[in-house]
Structure formats: structure tokens, C-alpha cells
Amino acid sequence: MPDKATSTGKDSLLEALIPALFNKALSLSKAGRTEEALVVYADLDDRLKDATEPQWQLYGAMTLANQASCFRILQNPQAEIATHDRLIERFGNLPDTELQIYVGKSLFDKAVLLSNAEKYQDAIDSYDALIQHFSENPLPLLQSGVAKALFNKASLFSKMNETEKSIACCDDLLTRFADNKEPNIEKIVANTLLNKAGCIEKLGQHDRMIAAYDCFLNRFSDSKEADIQLCLALVSIKKAEALKNNDQLEEAFSIYESLIHRFEKDESDEMAFQLAKAYINAADILCRLQRREDENNLYTAFITRFLSTKEPSLQIAVATALIKKATNLVAKGQVKEAIDCYDLVLNSLDDSENQELKKYHILAEKEKNSLETV
């Protein structure tokens, strides 16, 4: 039988042996010799399983955590879950902060494994254990774990089509963390507000959905963080679309107009797509409101902003805007200006690498020839 780490911790041989074995296992793992590392970790686990001294308990937790990582490398989720269970059972009730971090990670990783195996209720139970265990723990790392657990739990309820339970879980997270300014948690709060709005959208509850969008916009309206600003644009567009679909056209247009004004100088590719949506949807509203002059002015602003783009989908949007603008100009008797729009489609938008754009070139050529004939 191997020596056991005892409560005295005085055996100098043991004090040298445990770190040496741990480092050996770590080196084997880093070298890709995972199965050999597992043999050493198993030996270590046997030596440390009855340890009562904090330093050996910490080695025990690290051993089990690394053992679980090895099983993950070997794609053995059952063994990985069993290892997490041993760690949770052995150290779950011990007060040491470092040990509790390992317990929290094992609970979280176990839930993820169960979720990947589509054992959603078991995964939710593991998240619940984490939430209950660490709700009152003030350590930021563990509070972040609670927030992530609540977020993932809400996502699982959504996958299970338990929409109201998902919304309730989102509300629980928001109650706990809505005012937390820690960057990682703030991002979780942002995504939770988005997911809640998405769940309400599934239920088709218009007023409740608008209120959810407003919660996000009010909470993050002053954020300078790039990811949050992109989400602000996304949520603004979703709110405007919901209002537009509810025939609240003026309110929807006002949102698009504000979004364009706020982000028109943002040069990022991600924001470009949102701006393009805002321009096109706002122009469509103006068309429905029969405000042709304003519609054309908006098309002009959009075309100026995006005419030089090489992004295929944005090229299609520009071509569409030019053709719609040309149609409006013909209706007003401004034939020369309409022909200029068709020329822009033909000469400024290269269709050599955009097959879809060829259809717009054909249409523009046809309409231009028709106007020139007249």
C-alpha cells in the first residue's frame, strides 16, 4: 500500500514525494502522454484521499481537477463526470477558499458535460447545486460562476421549450446581478437581457417584448464597450422591427434614425451590417408613409456610405437602394437622375465575384435602356 498523507504532514519524504509526483503527472500531460499521466494522478489520488492538512487537500483537489482534464482530452465524459463527483463530494463542505474554487469549477464543468449529452435536467440540477452552494459567497470569481450557471440554466430551459421557466431564470439572474459593474458579469447581464427578450418574442407578447428591449437599452445606453455597443444596435433594430410589424411606423423610424445618427461614424464591419439594416428598414418605412423625398434622401446617404464596399451582401443592399431610388426618380419625371443611378449600379458595383449582383446589373441595364429609348 502506498503511504498516505496524514494529518501531521511531518513526514519529509512525503513532503518531497507529493509535489514530485504531481509535477511528473503534469509534465506527462503536457507532453501528450495523457494515459501515463492518469496513472500517476491515480496514485496521487490514492495517497491524498484521506488527507486532512490544507496543503495536501489542495494537492488532492488539483489532482482530481487535472485528472478530469485528462479524461476530457481522451474524450471520456463518463470518467470525467465521475472525477468531478469525487472532487465535489470530498471538498464540497470544506471552508478553504481555494478548494471551493475547484468545487465550483467541477460543478460547472459537470453541468456542461451533462448538457452536451442532452441530459438537460441533470445539467440543471448541477447548476442549481452550484447556485445554492455559492450564492452567498462574496468572492468575485465564484459570483461570476453563479451568474454563468444561471445564464446557462436559462438557455437549457429555452432548449427544452420551457419558455416561462427560462424567463424566470433570467429574472433571477437580473435580480442578483443587474447593478454589478464587474466586466464579465456585465456581459452576462447584457446577454441575459437579450435572451429574455428573445424568449418573450417566442411568446408573441408585443408590449412585454418592447419592455424587455427597453430594459436593455436603458441599462447599457451609455456603455462605451464595443461588444455592448454592437448589442445596443442589435436591440434597437429588434425593437424598431417589432414596432414596425405592429404598424407603429413613426416610432420605429425614430429608432432607426437615432441609431444611424449614433453609429454612422463607426467603421467596424459588425456595425456596418447593423447600420445597413437601419438605413434600408427606415427607407422602407418612409416608402410606406409615402414620404418619397425623405426616402430618396435616405437612400442617397446610404449609397454614399456604402458604395465602395466589397462585402457581397452590402453590395446587394446598395444595388437595391439605387434601383429603388431610380424608380422614385422616374415617378417624379427625373429621368436623367434615374439613369445616373443605374449607371452607378453598372459601373461602381463590381459583379465579377458576386454572382447575385449580376441579376441587378441585368435589371439596371434593362431599365436604363428602356429610359434612354423613351
Side-chain angles (χ1 to χ4, degrees):
M1 288 291 291
D3 295 331
K4 305 291 184 182
T6 63
S7 59
T8 63
K10 302 297 184 182
D11 187 87
S12 59
L13 178 61
L14 192 62
E15 289 181 3
L17 180 62
I18 297 303
L21 285 171
F22 185 84
N23 289 334
K24 178 183 178 181
L26 202 59
S27 297
L28 288 167
S29 180
K30 288 181 178 178
R33 296 160 64 180
T34 308
E35 292 181 350
E36 293 175 66
L38 278 171
V39 172
V40 181
Y41 281 132
D43 181 21
L44 265 173
D45 183 38
D46 193 43
R47 294 174 185 273
L48 294 166
K49 63 185 179 183
D50 297 322
T52 56
E53 288 235 346
Q55 62 173 328
W56 303 130
Q57 288 176 336
L58 183 56
Y59 265 108
M62 291 190 297
T63 293
L64 287 169
N66 288 5
Q67 199 174 37
S69 296
C70 286
F71 284 126
R72 187 180 309 129
I73 292 169
L74 296 175
Q75 298 183 353
N76 188 342
Q78 290 81 10
E80 186 181 350
I81 289 172
T83 307
H84 287 311
D85 283 337
R86 290 209 310 280
L87 192 154
I88 294 161
E89 182 180 0
R90 191 179 303 173
F91 302 110
N93 294 322
L94 296 180
D96 182 84
T97 299
E98 289 186 90
L99 291 177
Q100 287 304 300
I101 290 171
Y102 280 105
V103 170
K105 187 175 187 308
S106 278
L107 283 166
F108 190 90
D109 288 350
K110 176 185 174 181
V112 171
L113 286 165
L114 291 166
S115 176
N116 291 341
E118 298 186 354
K119 297 179 180 179
Y120 296 146
Q121 188 55 57
D122 291 338
I124 287 169
D125 291 342
S126 188
Y127 284 131
D128 279 339
L130 188 156
I131 294 161
Q132 183 176 358
H133 195 74
F134 294 109
S135 285
E136 305 302 322
N137 192 308
L139 190 69
L141 182 62
L142 293 175
Q143 283 300 296
S144 179
V146 171
K148 289 176 183 176
L150 283 165
F151 180 84
N152 286 3
K153 181 182 170 184
S155 297
L156 288 178
F157 277 130
S158 184
K159 283 184 178 180
M160 297 162 68
N161 292 319
E162 304 251 12
T163 306
E164 288 292 356
K165 286 185 179 180
S166 182
I167 292 170
C169 202
C170 290
D171 286 337
D172 187 4
L173 190 155
L174 295 171
T175 299
R176 295 169 188 256
F177 298 106
D179 298 323
N180 193 307
K181 299 300 182 182
E182 200 278 320
N184 287 333
I185 291 181
E186 196 167 44
K187 287 182 180 179
I188 294 171
V189 169
N191 285 316
T192 298
L193 285 166
L194 291 175
N195 286 1
K196 179 182 176 181
C199 286
I200 295 170
E201 189 175 348
K202 284 183 184 179
L203 299 175
Q205 299 174 350
H206 175 77
D207 292 343
R208 196 179 172 193
M209 181 169 56
I210 296 299
Y213 292 141
D214 283 339
C215 280
F216 181 92
L217 295 171
N218 294 335
R219 172 68 173 78
F220 293 103
S221 60
D222 297 326
S223 175
K224 303 299 182 186
E225 207 276 322
D227 288 344
I228 298 295
Q229 289 204 330
L230 182 60
C231 287
L232 282 168
L234 285 164
V235 172
S236 295
I237 288 172
K238 282 183 170 290
K239 179 182 177 183
E241 286 175 348
L243 291 168
K244 180 183 171 185
N245 293 336
N246 201 47
D247 290 328
Q248 294 172 262
L249 300 183
E250 293 288 356
E251 294 94 325
F253 177 77
S254 177
I255 293 170
Y256 287 129
E257 193 174 39
S258 297
L259 189 154
I260 293 167
H261 179 73
R262 176 169 182 172
F263 296 113
E264 62 184 348
K265 294 181 180 179
D266 191 317
E267 298 294 332
S268 68
D269 291 341
E270 295 84 357
M271 191 61 76
F273 286 105
Q274 307 312 317
L275 277 171
K277 285 182 185 178
Y279 273 111
I280 295 301
N281 290 355
D284 181 62
I285 289 173
L286 291 172
C287 177
R288 289 171 63 177
L289 293 172
Q290 298 187 354
R291 291 166 54 182
R292 302 298 184 191
E293 191 67 33
D294 290 335
E295 181 188 356
N296 270 11
N297 289 339
L298 199 58
Y299 282 139
T300 300
F302 172 70
I303 293 160
T304 302
R305 172 74 165 77
F306 291 101
L307 185 61
S308 61
T309 183
K310 300 300 180 186
E311 167 57 42
S313 60
L314 291 179
Q315 286 182 322
I316 298 300
V318 172
T320 302
L322 282 164
I323 289 170
K324 286 186 175 181
K325 180 181 176 182
T327 302
N328 287 343
L329 289 168
V330 169
K332 294 171 63 178
Q334 296 176 259
V335 176
K336 181 181 180 303
E337 291 82 353
I339 290 173
D340 290 341
C341 288
Y342 292 128
D343 280 337
L344 279 175
V345 175
L346 296 168
N347 301 323
S348 298
L349 295 172
D350 183 10
D351 66 348
S352 60
E353 297 183 6
N354 189 344
Q355 294 300 311
E356 185 68 19
L357 191 58
K358 291 183 184 297
K359 299 176 185 177
Y360 291 84
H361 274 218
I362 292 169
L363 177 60
E365 185 74 45
K366 177 184 175 183
E367 293 299 324
K368 177 187 174 183
N369 291 340
S370 176
L371 290 175
E372 288 179 337
T373 300
V374 171

